[in-house]
Amino acid sequence: MEVIISNTYEELSKAAAAAVAKTLNSKPNAVLGLATGSSPLGLYKEMIRMHKEEGFDFSHVITFNLDEYVGLKPDHPQSYRSFMHENLFNHINIAPQNIHLPGATTGNYRAFCESYEKMIADCGGIDLQVLGIGSDGHIGFNEPTSSLGSRTRIKTLTQQTIDDNARFFKDGEKVPIYAITMGVGTILEAKKIILLANGEAKAEAVAGAIEGPVTSMCTASALQLHKQVNFYLDRAAASKLKMREYFEWIQAKMPHGAA
Ligand code: F6R
């Protein structure tokens, strides 16, 4: 595990983008697992800049998103499909057939979830998984008490997550309570994982994920079992880490990463 602490959100986003670029430079047709929400917005902005200003090529990249609300039409402004197109896909040269998101209006969720897992496996598995973290410690929408071996399935969101996500919806608009999400077990199969977190509201969850016991009460703590995971944090998100000085000391000695 590596913990990289940045002074600003912009610096954190650029460090995460460098990790994405490293993966794609060594494997242009890499499979990326992607997250939505506010945490990866700076990363996506930087990927767009790399494409527009440096001609970075995304034409062979394959993507699988972590999750999608159940019941929202694909073109609903708050659907994760709309989010990804608006904030990334419409601005880079990714091939439309290489984009995969859970289909949240399917008639048969169980069959869909199984086929989503199969599609990932058929593409050779996820090379690099991008994650955010919920204030309750979730990754994807694997809420507290989700099995650490779980696979892609429907989850009921917690009230805390529904309240956190209400900021994206219009006043009075209902926030969905169900989502399709990759499971913790699915996420742990990615070859490499990067988790991005900024702001004080994430500090508790980040400390639980990195230093807490491995527990389904903080599903991000399962990342401790993964052999190649990097946390990109700003100072506020890192503020509750007991080992913060140690991580900063390593970073100062090895600014380009220990690996
Ligand atoms: C979104 C996802 C969630 C978010 C998490 C943090 O695809 O999987 O786990 O990463 O809820 O959301 P933000 O970044 O909006 O704080």
Side-chain angles (χ1 to χ4, degrees):
M1 175 190 295
E2 264 189 71
V3 178
I4 300 110
I5 302 169
S6 299
N7 287 318
T8 62
Y9 175 64
E10 200 187 5
E11 196 181 309
L12 169 172
S13 303
K14 286 201 167 144
V20 172
K22 191 173 169 194
T23 298
L24 296 182
N25 282 332
S26 63
K27 185 177 177 189
N29 63 344
V31 180
L32 299 183
L34 297 177
T36 54
S38 44
S39 308
L41 279 176
L43 160 66
Y44 296 157
K45 206 169 139 203
E46 180 60 14
M47 287 166 70
I48 294 168
R49 191 203 62 75
M50 280 157 47
H51 173 64
K52 292 205 182 316
E53 291 178 15
E54 296 166 14
F56 201 96
D57 183 19
F58 291 94
S59 62
H60 300 291
V61 172
I62 299 170
T63 63
F64 284 89
N65 263 81
L66 276 168
D67 40 24
E68 177 61 285
Y69 289 122
V70 166
L72 292 191
K73 295 225 170 75
D75 60 352
H76 188 285
Q78 299 315 330
S79 76
Y80 284 170
R81 181 173 292 275
S82 299
F83 176 100
M84 288 308 301
H85 280 85
E86 217 170 278
N87 293 296
L88 182 64
F89 299 148
N90 288 349
H91 312 286
I92 59 174
N93 65 334
I94 189 166
Q97 67 274 18
N98 288 351
I99 296 171
H100 305 86
L101 280 109
T105 49
T106 170
N108 185 342
Y109 290 107
R110 184 182 288 254
F112 175 81
C113 293
E114 276 170 23
S115 74
Y116 201 64
E117 292 268 341
K118 185 169 179 321
M119 280 191 284
I120 296 173
D122 289 348
C123 289
I126 290 172
D127 292 295
L128 179 68
Q129 176 67 57
V130 176
L131 296 175
I133 183 168
S135 59
D136 62 3
H138 69 217
I139 46 175
F141 275 133
N142 294 288
E143 299 287 32
T145 71
S146 290
S147 156
L148 300 186
S150 52
R151 312 300 309 187
T152 304
R153 69 210 184 290
I154 290 201
K155 257 326 265 183
T156 308
L157 306 183
T158 59
Q159 192 59 50
Q160 192 173 339
T161 299
I162 294 168
D163 293 346
D164 284 350
N165 291 355
R167 69 190 193 278
F168 295 113
F169 288 79
K170 287 194 207 123
D171 273 353
E173 199 177 6
K174 264 191 154 178
V175 184
I177 59 167
Y178 301 110
I180 295 188
T181 181
M182 283 186 201
V184 181
T186 321
I187 292 170
L188 289 178
E189 278 173 12
K191 292 171 193 107
K192 181 166 182 179
I193 299 178
I194 58 175
L195 185 149
L196 284 53
N198 63 293
E200 212 182 326
K202 299 295 175 68
E204 195 89 40
V206 163
I210 296 174
E211 297 175 340
V214 174
T215 166
S216 66
M217 286 305 287
C218 171
T219 53
S221 66
L223 298 174
Q224 292 174 31
L225 300 170
H226 195 275
K227 65 175 185 221
Q228 228 193 326
V229 53
N230 287 5
F231 286 81
Y232 292 93
L233 311 174
D234 72 354
R235 296 212 168 272
S239 61
K240 298 208 166 141
L241 288 172
K242 290 192 190 81
M243 300 292 283
R244 187 168 48 86
E245 282 180 17
Y246 170 69
F247 295 131
E248 284 172 339
W249 179 76
I250 296 174
Q251 212 176 316
K253 289 215 165 292
M254 282 174 275
H256 304 298

PDB file of all heavy atoms in Angstrom, residues 35-39 66-67 80 132-134 138-140 167-168 202, ligand 1:
ATOM      1  N   ALA A  35     -14.931   5.389 -11.468  1.00  0.00           N
ATOM      2  CA  ALA A  35     -15.900   5.822 -10.449  1.00  0.00           C
ATOM      3  C   ALA A  35     -16.532   7.144 -10.887  1.00  0.00           C
ATOM      4  O   ALA A  35     -15.958   7.876 -11.696  1.00  0.00           O
ATOM      5  CB  ALA A  35     -15.180   6.022  -9.114  1.00  0.00           C
ATOM      6  N   THR A  36     -17.681   7.445 -10.323  1.00  0.00           N
ATOM      7  CA  THR A  36     -18.301   8.761 -10.526  1.00  0.00           C
ATOM      8  C   THR A  36     -18.167   9.546  -9.211  1.00  0.00           C
ATOM      9  O   THR A  36     -17.386   9.171  -8.349  1.00  0.00           O
ATOM     10  CB  THR A  36     -19.782   8.611 -10.905  1.00  0.00           C
ATOM     11  OG1 THR A  36     -20.392   7.808  -9.892  1.00  0.00           O
ATOM     12  CG2 THR A  36     -19.947   7.949 -12.257  1.00  0.00           C
ATOM     13  N   GLY A  37     -18.938  10.627  -9.077  1.00  0.00           N
ATOM     14  CA  GLY A  37     -18.880  11.432  -7.855  1.00  0.00           C
ATOM     15  C   GLY A  37     -17.873  12.557  -8.005  1.00  0.00           C
ATOM     16  O   GLY A  37     -17.206  12.694  -9.042  1.00  0.00           O
ATOM     17  N   SER A  38     -17.724  13.344  -6.939  1.00  0.00           N
ATOM     18  CA  SER A  38     -16.865  14.529  -7.055  1.00  0.00           C
ATOM     19  C   SER A  38     -15.373  14.205  -6.952  1.00  0.00           C
ATOM     20  O   SER A  38     -14.549  14.913  -7.513  1.00  0.00           O
ATOM     21  CB  SER A  38     -17.275  15.582  -6.029  1.00  0.00           C
ATOM     22  OG  SER A  38     -17.498  14.976  -4.789  1.00  0.00           O
ATOM     23  N   SER A  39     -15.004  13.120  -6.274  1.00  0.00           N
ATOM     24  CA  SER A  39     -13.567  12.846  -6.059  1.00  0.00           C
ATOM     25  C   SER A  39     -12.758  12.712  -7.348  1.00  0.00           C
ATOM     26  O   SER A  39     -11.665  13.285  -7.430  1.00  0.00           O
ATOM     27  CB  SER A  39     -13.382  11.582  -5.206  1.00  0.00           C
ATOM     28  OG  SER A  39     -14.147  11.681  -4.033  1.00  0.00           O
ATOM     29  N   LEU A  66     -18.102   1.432 -12.005  1.00  0.00           N
ATOM     30  CA  LEU A  66     -18.375   0.693 -10.774  1.00  0.00           C
ATOM     31  C   LEU A  66     -19.852   0.472 -10.510  1.00  0.00           C
ATOM     32  O   LEU A  66     -20.260  -0.558 -10.001  1.00  0.00           O
ATOM     33  CB  LEU A  66     -17.885   1.523  -9.582  1.00  0.00           C
ATOM     34  CG  LEU A  66     -16.441   1.459  -9.170  1.00  0.00           C
ATOM     35  CD1 LEU A  66     -16.172   2.581  -8.186  1.00  0.00           C
ATOM     36  CD2 LEU A  66     -16.133   0.123  -8.529  1.00  0.00           C
ATOM     37  N   ASP A  67     -20.643   1.522 -10.801  1.00  0.00           N
ATOM     38  CA  ASP A  67     -22.013   1.459 -10.297  1.00  0.00           C
ATOM     39  C   ASP A  67     -22.946   2.379 -11.082  1.00  0.00           C
ATOM     40  O   ASP A  67     -22.508   3.208 -11.875  1.00  0.00           O
ATOM     41  CB  ASP A  67     -22.061   1.804  -8.796  1.00  0.00           C
ATOM     42  CG  ASP A  67     -21.119   2.946  -8.434  1.00  0.00           C
ATOM     43  OD1 ASP A  67     -20.782   3.744  -9.313  1.00  0.00           O
ATOM     44  OD2 ASP A  67     -20.711   3.027  -7.261  1.00  0.00           O
ATOM     45  N   TYR A  80     -25.339   7.905 -13.790  1.00  0.00           N
ATOM     46  CA  TYR A  80     -23.873   7.868 -13.862  1.00  0.00           C
ATOM     47  C   TYR A  80     -23.399   7.785 -15.311  1.00  0.00           C
ATOM     48  O   TYR A  80     -22.293   8.201 -15.631  1.00  0.00           O
ATOM     49  CB  TYR A  80     -23.339   6.722 -12.997  1.00  0.00           C
ATOM     50  CG  TYR A  80     -23.394   7.062 -11.518  1.00  0.00           C
ATOM     51  CD1 TYR A  80     -23.159   6.095 -10.548  1.00  0.00           C
ATOM     52  CD2 TYR A  80     -23.649   8.359 -11.085  1.00  0.00           C
ATOM     53  CE1 TYR A  80     -23.186   6.415  -9.191  1.00  0.00           C
ATOM     54  CE2 TYR A  80     -23.682   8.687  -9.735  1.00  0.00           C
ATOM     55  CZ  TYR A  80     -23.449   7.715  -8.795  1.00  0.00           C
ATOM     56  OH  TYR A  80     -23.469   8.040  -7.459  1.00  0.00           O
ATOM     57  N   GLY A 132     -13.446   6.206  -5.383  1.00  0.00           N
ATOM     58  CA  GLY A 132     -13.615   7.233  -4.370  1.00  0.00           C
ATOM     59  C   GLY A 132     -13.947   6.485  -3.079  1.00  0.00           C
ATOM     60  O   GLY A 132     -13.916   5.252  -3.035  1.00  0.00           O
ATOM     61  N   ILE A 133     -14.296   7.206  -2.046  1.00  0.00           N
ATOM     62  CA  ILE A 133     -14.710   6.542  -0.797  1.00  0.00           C
ATOM     63  C   ILE A 133     -15.884   7.321  -0.212  1.00  0.00           C
ATOM     64  O   ILE A 133     -15.868   8.564  -0.206  1.00  0.00           O
ATOM     65  CB  ILE A 133     -13.535   6.435   0.205  1.00  0.00           C
ATOM     66  CG1 ILE A 133     -13.924   5.674   1.483  1.00  0.00           C
ATOM     67  CG2 ILE A 133     -12.959   7.805   0.562  1.00  0.00           C
ATOM     68  CD1 ILE A 133     -12.730   5.296   2.371  1.00  0.00           C
ATOM     69  N   GLY A 134     -16.892   6.619   0.246  1.00  0.00           N
ATOM     70  CA  GLY A 134     -18.033   7.292   0.863  1.00  0.00           C
ATOM     71  C   GLY A 134     -17.689   7.716   2.287  1.00  0.00           C
ATOM     72  O   GLY A 134     -16.750   7.170   2.889  1.00  0.00           O
ATOM     73  N   HIS A 138     -17.689   3.351   2.226  1.00  0.00           N
ATOM     74  CA  HIS A 138     -17.999   2.445   1.117  1.00  0.00           C
ATOM     75  C   HIS A 138     -17.076   2.659  -0.070  1.00  0.00           C
ATOM     76  O   HIS A 138     -16.566   3.750  -0.288  1.00  0.00           O
ATOM     77  CB  HIS A 138     -19.482   2.548   0.687  1.00  0.00           C
ATOM     78  CG  HIS A 138     -19.882   3.829   0.028  1.00  0.00           C
ATOM     79  ND1 HIS A 138     -21.110   4.423   0.245  1.00  0.00           N
ATOM     80  CD2 HIS A 138     -19.257   4.632  -0.855  1.00  0.00           C
ATOM     81  CE1 HIS A 138     -21.202   5.524  -0.481  1.00  0.00           C
ATOM     82  NE2 HIS A 138     -20.085   5.676  -1.156  1.00  0.00           N
ATOM     83  N   ILE A 139     -16.872   1.594  -0.851  1.00  0.00           N
ATOM     84  CA  ILE A 139     -16.255   1.682  -2.176  1.00  0.00           C
ATOM     85  C   ILE A 139     -17.283   1.103  -3.139  1.00  0.00           C
ATOM     86  O   ILE A 139     -17.981   0.150  -2.801  1.00  0.00           O
ATOM     87  CB  ILE A 139     -14.898   0.929  -2.261  1.00  0.00           C
ATOM     88  CG1 ILE A 139     -14.980  -0.466  -1.631  1.00  0.00           C
ATOM     89  CG2 ILE A 139     -13.784   1.767  -1.646  1.00  0.00           C
ATOM     90  CD1 ILE A 139     -13.696  -1.294  -1.796  1.00  0.00           C
ATOM     91  N   GLY A 140     -17.372   1.684  -4.356  1.00  0.00           N
ATOM     92  CA  GLY A 140     -18.546   1.394  -5.173  1.00  0.00           C
ATOM     93  C   GLY A 140     -19.730   1.777  -4.294  1.00  0.00           C
ATOM     94  O   GLY A 140     -19.665   2.754  -3.541  1.00  0.00           O
ATOM     95  N   ARG A 167     -27.058  16.202  -2.879  1.00  0.00           N
ATOM     96  CA  ARG A 167     -26.557  17.468  -3.405  1.00  0.00           C
ATOM     97  C   ARG A 167     -26.539  17.502  -4.937  1.00  0.00           C
ATOM     98  O   ARG A 167     -26.518  18.561  -5.532  1.00  0.00           O
ATOM     99  CB  ARG A 167     -25.155  17.774  -2.852  1.00  0.00           C
ATOM    100  CG  ARG A 167     -24.042  16.870  -3.350  1.00  0.00           C
ATOM    101  CD  ARG A 167     -22.764  17.114  -2.542  1.00  0.00           C
ATOM    102  NE  ARG A 167     -21.561  16.525  -3.111  1.00  0.00           N
ATOM    103  CZ  ARG A 167     -21.194  15.249  -2.962  1.00  0.00           C
ATOM    104  NH1 ARG A 167     -21.943  14.425  -2.261  1.00  0.00           N
ATOM    105  NH2 ARG A 167     -20.078  14.812  -3.507  1.00  0.00           N
ATOM    106  N   PHE A 168     -26.540  16.326  -5.568  1.00  0.00           N
ATOM    107  CA  PHE A 168     -26.501  16.278  -7.033  1.00  0.00           C
ATOM    108  C   PHE A 168     -27.906  16.370  -7.646  1.00  0.00           C
ATOM    109  O   PHE A 168     -28.048  16.545  -8.844  1.00  0.00           O
ATOM    110  CB  PHE A 168     -25.841  14.979  -7.513  1.00  0.00           C
ATOM    111  CG  PHE A 168     -24.389  14.871  -7.132  1.00  0.00           C
ATOM    112  CD1 PHE A 168     -23.959  13.916  -6.215  1.00  0.00           C
ATOM    113  CD2 PHE A 168     -23.438  15.725  -7.676  1.00  0.00           C
ATOM    114  CE1 PHE A 168     -22.620  13.811  -5.860  1.00  0.00           C
ATOM    115  CE2 PHE A 168     -22.096  15.638  -7.335  1.00  0.00           C
ATOM    116  CZ  PHE A 168     -21.686  14.675  -6.422  1.00  0.00           C
ATOM    117  N   LYS A 202     -14.024  13.160   4.630  1.00  0.00           N
ATOM    118  CA  LYS A 202     -13.573  11.802   4.310  1.00  0.00           C
ATOM    119  C   LYS A 202     -12.517  11.283   5.285  1.00  0.00           C
ATOM    120  O   LYS A 202     -12.116  10.118   5.207  1.00  0.00           O
ATOM    121  CB  LYS A 202     -12.997  11.757   2.875  1.00  0.00           C
ATOM    122  CG  LYS A 202     -13.978  12.126   1.777  1.00  0.00           C
ATOM    123  CD  LYS A 202     -15.107  11.133   1.679  1.00  0.00           C
ATOM    124  CE  LYS A 202     -16.167  11.523   0.692  1.00  0.00           C
ATOM    125  NZ  LYS A 202     -15.750  11.505  -0.687  1.00  0.00           N
TER     126      LYS A 202
HETATM  127  C1  F6R B   1     -19.265   6.343  -7.327  1.00  0.00           C
HETATM  128  C2  F6R B   1     -18.874   5.466  -6.234  1.00  0.00           C
HETATM  129  C3  F6R B   1     -18.894   5.928  -4.829  1.00  0.00           C
HETATM  130  C4  F6R B   1     -18.189   7.268  -4.640  1.00  0.00           C
HETATM  131  C5  F6R B   1     -18.258   7.711  -3.188  1.00  0.00           C
HETATM  132  C6  F6R B   1     -17.632   9.081  -2.983  1.00  0.00           C
HETATM  133  O1  F6R B   1     -19.160   5.697  -8.564  1.00  0.00           O
HETATM  134  O2  F6R B   1     -18.564   4.342  -6.484  1.00  0.00           O
HETATM  135  O3  F6R B   1     -18.277   4.967  -4.007  1.00  0.00           O
HETATM  136  O4  F6R B   1     -16.854   7.137  -5.044  1.00  0.00           O
HETATM  137  O5  F6R B   1     -19.586   7.762  -2.778  1.00  0.00           O
HETATM  138  O6  F6R B   1     -18.356  10.030  -3.679  1.00  0.00           O
HETATM  139  P1  F6R B   1     -17.808  11.516  -3.842  1.00  0.00           P
HETATM  140  O7  F6R B   1     -16.564  11.394  -4.660  1.00  0.00           O
HETATM  141  O8  F6R B   1     -18.883  12.256  -4.581  1.00  0.00           O
HETATM  142  O9  F6R B   1     -17.554  12.034  -2.487  1.00  0.00           O
END
